[in-house]
Amino acid sequence: QQCEIWDHGFLKAAALKGTMPQLEATQPTGLKILVCGPSASGKTTICRFLSTEVETLVQPSAYIETKGVRILECERNLPGRGNQQCEIWDVSGNSQFESCWPAIMQDVDGVVLVYNPDKDGHDIEIGDWYDYFVKNNDLEPSQCIILAHHPAQSHRGMTRPPPKLKAVKVVDTSYDTAITTVLQQNFDDFLVECHDKKNGR
């Protein structure tokens, strides 16, 4: 499966210049999925894995902040739906780029929320991300999935998100190789929900 990548850090400059309508040309041909959450929660690493840019979920040696948004395009074979084009938008967790978010949110089909439940404040912050990117887009809970990402490979058990997110499916992830298959399966099931909602099934 081929994966194409674009770095759209220029979105911030476009937002400041008031030229966001020009970005309508970036509308996806398939599913548009946003991956959002607090900074340094593992979003880019997970995006690279889910887009098949890399074959394994490996902890990076150093943290590199995403500038604005990074778009990965891939094709996934969904159960009962065949091959589907998918754009995965890796959204920076830095509020410095908040002016870009309205354009990023256009025509979104689903939202993946990523946070580190072992980090102070992330459990509260993930609720704010849900309000902005899911509720503001009038998306249903089935069009959102939460990845509770634990840097420690030894994590076991189930994470409970804030009560306001109880209707959203939560999947615990880590760099444990045994988790990767479960993550892929849950992501594909989530894409099926987004695909069916988009196509009125």
Side-chain angles (χ1 to χ4, degrees):
Q1 294 180 341
Q2 186 175 3
C3 176
E4 299 180 8
I5 307 163
W6 297 268
D7 191 327
H8 283 214
F10 71 85
L11 281 173
K12 182 189 177 187
L16 293 176
K17 293 178 181 178
T19 59
M20 300 308 283
Q22 297 178 8
L23 298 177
E24 291 178 359
T26 63
Q27 291 179 357
T29 57
L31 293 174
K32 177 178 177 179
I33 305 298
L34 304 186
V35 180
C36 311
S39 295
S41 56
K43 298 186 297 296
T44 295
T45 301
I46 290 174
C47 286
R48 295 184 66 203
F49 173 68
L50 293 176
S51 69
T52 68
E53 180 187 349
V54 295
E55 295 182 355
T56 56
L57 196 61
V58 179
Q59 187 168 11
S61 58
Y63 172 66
I64 301 176
E65 182 184 58
T66 298
K67 305 297 184 183
V69 62
R70 186 169 181 261
I71 304 173
L72 299 94
E73 187 174 87
C74 61
E75 184 178 85
R76 296 190 69 88
N77 188 357
L78 302 182
R81 307 296 186 275
N83 292 333
Q84 298 293 327
Q85 296 294 323
C86 180
E87 285 187 1
I88 301 176
W89 290 51
D90 177 12
V91 182
S92 173
N94 191 333
S95 59
Q96 174 187 3
F97 300 101
E98 186 173 353
S99 58
C100 306
W101 292 351
I104 291 173
M105 290 165 56
Q106 292 180 11
D107 304 309
V108 63
D109 297 305
V111 175
V112 178
L113 297 176
V114 181
Y115 79 114
N116 181 354
D118 304 321
K119 195 169 184 177
D120 291 342
H122 270 208
D123 55 340
I124 297 175
E125 193 174 341
I126 200 65
D128 296 335
W129 285 91
Y130 178 84
D131 288 341
Y132 194 97
F133 283 94
V134 180
K135 292 186 67 176
N136 283 351
N137 271 312
D138 295 323
L139 299 178
E140 297 182 0
S142 62
Q143 292 171 278
C144 179
I145 187 171
I146 298 173
L147 302 183
H149 188 61
H150 306 262
Q153 292 188 352
S154 59
H155 171 76
R156 293 292 184 272
M158 297 182 63
T159 299
R160 293 184 179 181
K164 66 187 296 183
L165 304 180
K166 63 181 181 180
V168 182
K169 184 173 184 177
V170 180
V171 178
D172 284 283
T173 68
S174 72
Y175 296 109
D176 187 337
T177 54
I179 301 270
T180 57
T181 300
V182 175
L183 174 57
Q184 291 276 21
Q185 291 173 345
N186 278 278
F187 183 63
D188 283 344
D189 290 343
F190 162 70
L191 291 182
V192 167
E193 293 283 352
C194 296
H195 171 274
D196 289 354
K197 184 66 178 179
K198 182 175 184 175
N199 293 279
R201 298 182 63 168

Coordinates of all heavy atoms in Angstrom, one line a residue, residues 58-109:
V58 N 6.7 2.3 16.7 CA 7.9 2.4 17.4 C 8.0 3.7 18.1 O 7.7 4.8 17.5 CB 9.1 2.2 16.5 CG1 10.4 2.3 17.2 CG2 9.0 0.8 15.8
Q59 N 8.5 3.7 19.4 CA 8.6 5.0 20.1 C 9.7 5.8 19.5 O 10.9 5.3 19.3 CB 8.9 4.7 21.6 CG 8.9 6.0 22.4 CD 9.0 5.6 23.9 OE1 9.2 4.5 24.3 NE2 8.7 6.6 24.8
P60 N 9.5 7.1 19.1 CA 10.5 7.9 18.5 C 11.6 8.2 19.5 O 11.4 8.3 20.7 CB 9.7 9.2 18.1 CG 8.6 9.2 19.0 CD 8.2 7.8 19.3
S61 N 12.8 8.5 18.9 CA 14.0 8.8 19.8 C 13.9 10.2 20.3 O 14.5 10.5 21.4 CB 15.3 8.6 19.0 OG 15.2 9.4 17.8
A62 N 13.2 11.1 19.6 CA 13.1 12.5 20.1 C 11.7 13.0 19.6 O 11.1 12.6 18.6 CB 14.2 13.3 19.5
Y63 N 11.2 14.0 20.4 CA 9.9 14.6 20.1 C 10.1 15.7 19.0 O 10.9 16.6 19.2 CB 9.2 15.1 21.3 CG 8.0 16.0 21.0 CD1 6.9 15.4 20.5 CD2 8.0 17.3 21.3 CE1 5.7 16.1 20.2 CE2 6.9 18.1 21.1 CZ 5.7 17.5 20.5 OH 4.6 18.2 20.3
I64 N 9.3 15.6 17.9 CA 9.4 16.7 16.9 C 7.9 17.2 16.7 O 7.1 16.4 16.3 CB 9.9 16.1 15.6 CG1 11.3 15.6 15.8 CG2 9.9 17.2 14.5 CD1 11.9 15.0 14.5
E65 N 7.7 18.4 17.0 CA 6.4 19.0 17.0 C 5.9 19.1 15.5 O 6.6 19.5 14.6 CB 6.3 20.4 17.6 CG 5.0 21.0 17.7 CD 5.0 22.4 18.2 OE1 5.7 23.3 17.7 OE2 4.3 22.6 19.2
T66 N 4.6 18.7 15.3 CA 4.0 18.9 14.0 C 3.6 20.4 13.9 O 3.0 21.0 14.7 CB 2.7 18.1 13.9 OG1 3.0 16.7 14.0 CG2 2.0 18.3 12.6
K67 N 3.9 20.9 12.7 CA 3.6 22.3 12.4 C 2.3 22.4 11.6 O 2.3 22.1 10.5 CB 4.8 23.0 11.6 CG 6.2 22.8 12.2 CD 6.2 23.6 13.5 CE 7.6 23.6 14.1 NZ 7.7 24.2 15.4
G68 N 1.3 22.9 12.3 CA 0.0 23.0 11.6 C -0.7 21.7 11.5 O -1.4 21.2 12.4
V69 N -0.5 21.0 10.4 CA -1.1 19.7 10.2 C -0.3 19.0 9.1 O 0.3 19.6 8.2 CB -2.6 19.9 9.7 CG1 -2.6 20.6 8.3 CG2 -3.3 18.5 9.6
R70 N -0.2 17.7 9.3 CA 0.5 16.8 8.4 C -0.5 15.8 7.8 O -1.2 15.2 8.5 CB 1.6 16.1 9.1 CG 2.6 15.3 8.2 CD 3.8 14.9 9.1 NE 4.7 14.1 8.3 CZ 4.8 12.8 8.4 NH1 4.0 12.1 9.1 NH2 5.7 12.1 7.7
I71 N -0.6 15.7 6.5 CA -1.6 14.9 5.8 C -0.9 13.7 5.2 O 0.0 13.8 4.5 CB -2.3 15.7 4.7 CG1 -3.0 17.0 5.3 CG2 -3.4 14.8 4.1 CD1 -3.6 17.9 4.3
L72 N -1.5 12.5 5.6 CA -1.0 11.3 5.0 C -2.2 10.6 4.3 O -3.3 10.5 4.8 CB -0.5 10.3 6.1 CG 0.6 10.8 7.0 CD1 0.1 11.5 8.2 CD2 1.6 9.7 7.4
E73 N -1.9 10.2 3.1 CA -2.9 9.6 2.2 C -2.6 8.1 2.0 O -1.5 7.8 1.7 CB -3.0 10.3 0.9 CG -4.1 9.9 0.0 CD -4.2 10.7 -1.3 OE1 -3.5 10.4 -2.2 OE2 -4.9 11.8 -1.3
C74 N -3.6 7.3 2.2 CA -3.4 5.9 2.1 C -4.7 5.2 1.6 O -5.7 5.8 1.5 CB -2.9 5.3 3.4 SG -4.1 5.4 4.8
E75 N -4.5 3.9 1.3 CA -5.7 3.1 0.9 C -5.8 1.9 1.9 O -4.8 1.3 2.2 CB -5.5 2.6 -0.5 CG -6.7 1.7 -1.0 CD -6.4 1.3 -2.4 OE1 -5.8 0.2 -2.6 OE2 -6.9 2.0 -3.4
R76 N -7.0 1.7 2.4 CA -7.2 0.6 3.4 C -8.3 -0.3 2.9 O -9.3 0.2 2.3 CB -7.6 1.2 4.8 CG -6.4 2.0 5.4 CD -6.7 2.3 6.8 NE -6.7 1.2 7.7 CZ -5.6 0.7 8.2 NH1 -4.4 1.3 8.1 NH2 -5.6 -0.4 9.0
N77 N -8.1 -1.6 3.1 CA -9.1 -2.6 2.7 C -10.1 -2.8 3.9 O -9.7 -3.5 4.9 CB -8.4 -3.9 2.4 CG -9.4 -4.9 1.7 OD1 -10.6 -4.7 1.7 ND2 -8.8 -6.0 1.3
L78 N -11.3 -2.2 3.8 CA -12.2 -2.3 4.9 C -13.1 -3.5 4.8 O -13.6 -3.8 3.7 CB -13.1 -1.0 5.0 CG -12.3 0.3 5.1 CD1 -13.3 1.5 5.2 CD2 -11.3 0.3 6.3
P79 N -13.4 -4.2 5.9 CA -14.3 -5.4 5.9 C -15.6 -5.1 5.3 O -16.4 -4.2 5.7 CB -14.4 -5.7 7.4 CG -13.2 -5.1 8.1 CD -12.9 -3.9 7.3
G80 N -15.9 -5.8 4.2 CA -17.2 -5.6 3.5 C -17.4 -4.4 2.7 O -18.4 -4.1 2.1
R81 N -16.3 -3.5 2.7 CA -16.4 -2.3 1.9 C -15.4 -2.2 0.8 O -15.4 -1.2 0.1 CB -16.3 -1.1 2.9 CG -17.2 -1.1 4.1 CD -18.7 -1.0 3.7 NE -19.5 -0.9 4.9 CZ -20.0 -1.9 5.6 NH1 -19.6 -3.2 5.2 NH2 -20.8 -1.8 6.6
G82 N -14.4 -3.1 0.8 CA -13.4 -3.1 -0.2 C -12.3 -2.0 0.1 O -12.2 -1.5 1.2
N83 N -11.5 -1.7 -0.9 CA -10.5 -0.7 -0.8 C -11.1 0.7 -0.7 O -11.9 1.1 -1.6 CB -9.5 -0.8 -1.9 CG -8.7 -2.1 -1.9 OD1 -8.5 -2.7 -0.8 ND2 -8.2 -2.6 -3.0
Q84 N -10.6 1.5 0.2 CA -11.1 2.8 0.4 C -9.9 3.8 0.6 O -9.0 3.5 1.3 CB -12.0 2.9 1.7 CG -13.3 2.1 1.6 CD -14.3 2.6 0.6 OE1 -14.4 3.7 0.3 NE2 -15.0 1.6 0.0
Q85 N -10.0 4.9 -0.2 CA -9.0 6.0 0.0 C -9.3 6.7 1.3 O -10.4 6.9 1.7 CB -9.1 7.0 -1.1 CG -8.8 6.4 -2.5 CD -7.3 6.0 -2.6 OE1 -6.4 6.6 -2.0 NE2 -7.0 4.9 -3.3
C86 N -8.2 7.0 2.0 CA -8.3 7.7 3.3 C -7.2 8.7 3.5 O -6.0 8.5 3.2 CB -8.2 6.6 4.4 SG -8.3 7.3 6.1
E87 N -7.6 9.9 3.9 CA -6.7 11.0 4.3 C -6.6 11.0 5.8 O -7.7 11.2 6.5 CB -7.1 12.3 3.7 CG -6.8 12.5 2.3 CD -7.1 13.9 1.8 OE1 -7.4 14.8 2.6 OE2 -6.9 14.1 0.6
I88 N -5.5 10.9 6.4 CA -5.3 11.0 7.8 C -4.6 12.4 8.1 O -3.5 12.6 7.7 CB -4.5 9.8 8.4 CG1 -5.1 8.5 8.0 CG2 -4.2 10.0 9.9 CD1 -4.4 7.3 8.5
W89 N -5.3 13.3 8.8 CA -4.8 14.6 9.1 C -4.2 14.6 10.5 O -5.0 14.6 11.5 CB -5.9 15.6 8.9 CG -6.4 15.8 7.5 CD1 -6.7 14.9 6.6 CD2 -6.5 17.1 6.8 NE1 -7.1 15.5 5.4 CE2 -6.9 16.8 5.5 CE3 -6.3 18.4 7.2 CZ2 -7.2 17.8 4.6 CZ3 -6.5 19.4 6.3 CH2 -6.9 19.1 5.0
D90 N -2.9 14.7 10.6 CA -2.2 14.7 11.9 C -2.2 16.2 12.3 O -1.3 16.9 11.9 CB -0.8 14.1 11.6 CG 0.0 14.2 12.9 OD1 -0.5 14.4 14.0 OD2 1.3 13.9 12.8
V91 N -3.1 16.5 13.2 CA -3.3 17.9 13.7 C -2.4 18.2 14.8 O -2.3 17.5 15.8 CB -4.7 18.2 14.0 CG1 -4.9 19.7 14.4 CG2 -5.7 17.8 12.9
S92 N -1.6 19.3 14.7 CA -0.8 19.7 15.8 C -1.6 20.0 17.1 O -2.7 20.6 17.1 CB 0.0 21.0 15.5 OG 0.7 21.5 16.6
G93 N -1.0 19.6 18.2 CA -1.7 19.8 19.5 C -1.4 21.2 20.1 O -1.9 21.5 21.2
N94 N -0.6 22.0 19.4 CA -0.2 23.3 19.9 C -1.3 24.3 19.5 O -1.6 24.5 18.4 CB 1.1 23.7 19.2 CG 1.8 25.0 19.8 OD1 1.1 25.8 20.4 ND2 3.1 25.1 19.7
S95 N -1.8 25.0 20.6 CA -2.9 26.0 20.4 C -2.4 27.2 19.5 O -3.3 28.0 19.1 CB -3.4 26.5 21.7 OG -2.3 27.1 22.5
Q96 N -1.1 27.3 19.2 CA -0.6 28.3 18.4 C -1.2 28.2 17.0 O -1.4 29.2 16.3 CB 0.9 28.2 18.3 CG 1.6 29.1 17.3 CD 3.1 28.8 17.1 OE1 3.6 27.8 17.7 NE2 3.7 29.6 16.3
F97 N -1.7 27.0 16.6 CA -2.2 26.8 15.3 C -3.8 26.8 15.3 O -4.4 26.3 14.3 CB -1.7 25.5 14.7 CG -0.2 25.5 14.5 CD1 0.6 24.8 15.5 CD2 0.4 26.2 13.5 CE1 2.0 24.8 15.3 CE2 1.8 26.2 13.4 CZ 2.6 25.5 14.3
E98 N -4.4 27.2 16.4 CA -5.8 27.2 16.5 C -6.5 27.9 15.4 O -7.7 27.6 15.0 CB -6.3 27.7 17.8 CG -7.7 27.6 18.1 CD -8.1 28.0 19.6 OE1 -7.2 28.2 20.4 OE2 -9.3 28.0 19.9
S99 N -5.9 29.0 14.8 CA -6.5 29.7 13.8 C -6.7 28.9 12.5 O -7.5 29.3 11.6 CB -5.7 31.0 13.5 OG -4.4 30.7 13.1
C100 N -6.0 27.8 12.4 CA -6.1 26.9 11.2 C -7.2 25.9 11.4 O -7.7 25.3 10.4 CB -4.8 26.1 11.0 SG -3.3 27.1 10.9
W101 N -7.7 25.7 12.6 CA -8.6 24.6 12.8 C -9.9 24.7 12.0 O -10.4 23.6 11.5 CB -8.9 24.5 14.3 CG -7.7 24.0 15.1 CD1 -6.5 23.6 14.6 CD2 -7.6 24.0 16.5 NE1 -5.7 23.3 15.7 CE2 -6.3 23.5 16.8 CE3 -8.5 24.3 17.6 CZ2 -5.9 23.4 18.1 CZ3 -8.0 24.2 18.9 CH2 -6.7 23.7 19.2
P102 N -10.6 25.8 11.9 CA -11.8 25.9 11.1 C -11.6 25.3 9.7 O -12.5 24.6 9.2 CB -12.2 27.4 11.1 CG -11.6 27.9 12.3 CD -10.3 27.2 12.5
A103 N -10.5 25.6 9.0 CA -10.3 25.1 7.7 C -10.0 23.6 7.7 O -10.4 22.8 6.9 CB -9.1 25.8 7.0
I104 N -9.2 23.2 8.7 CA -8.9 21.8 8.9 C -10.1 20.9 9.1 O -10.2 19.8 8.6 CB -7.9 21.6 10.0 CG1 -6.5 22.2 9.7 CG2 -7.8 20.1 10.4 CD1 -5.6 22.2 10.8
M105 N -11.1 21.5 9.7 CA -12.4 20.7 10.1 C -13.3 20.6 8.9 O -14.3 19.8 9.0 CB -13.1 21.4 11.2 CG -12.4 21.4 12.6 SD -13.0 22.6 13.8 CE -14.7 22.2 13.8
Q106 N -13.1 21.2 7.8 CA -14.0 21.2 6.7 C -14.1 19.8 6.1 O -13.1 19.1 5.9 CB -13.6 22.1 5.6 CG -13.7 23.6 5.9 CD -13.3 24.5 4.8 OE1 -13.0 24.0 3.7 NE2 -13.1 25.8 5.1
D107 N -15.4 19.3 5.9 CA -15.7 18.0 5.3 C -15.1 16.8 6.0 O -14.7 15.8 5.4 CB -15.2 18.0 3.8 CG -15.8 19.2 3.0 OD1 -17.0 19.3 3.1 OD2 -15.0 19.9 2.4
V108 N -14.9 16.9 7.3 CA -14.3 15.8 8.1 C -15.4 14.7 8.2 O -16.6 14.9 8.4 CB -13.8 16.3 9.4 CG1 -15.0 16.8 10.3 CG2 -13.1 15.1 10.2
D109 N -14.9 13.4 8.1 CA -15.8 12.2 8.2 C -15.6 11.6 9.6 O -16.5 10.8 10.0 CB -15.5 11.2 7.1 CG -15.7 11.8 5.8 OD1 -16.9 12.3 5.5 OD2 -14.8 11.8 4.9

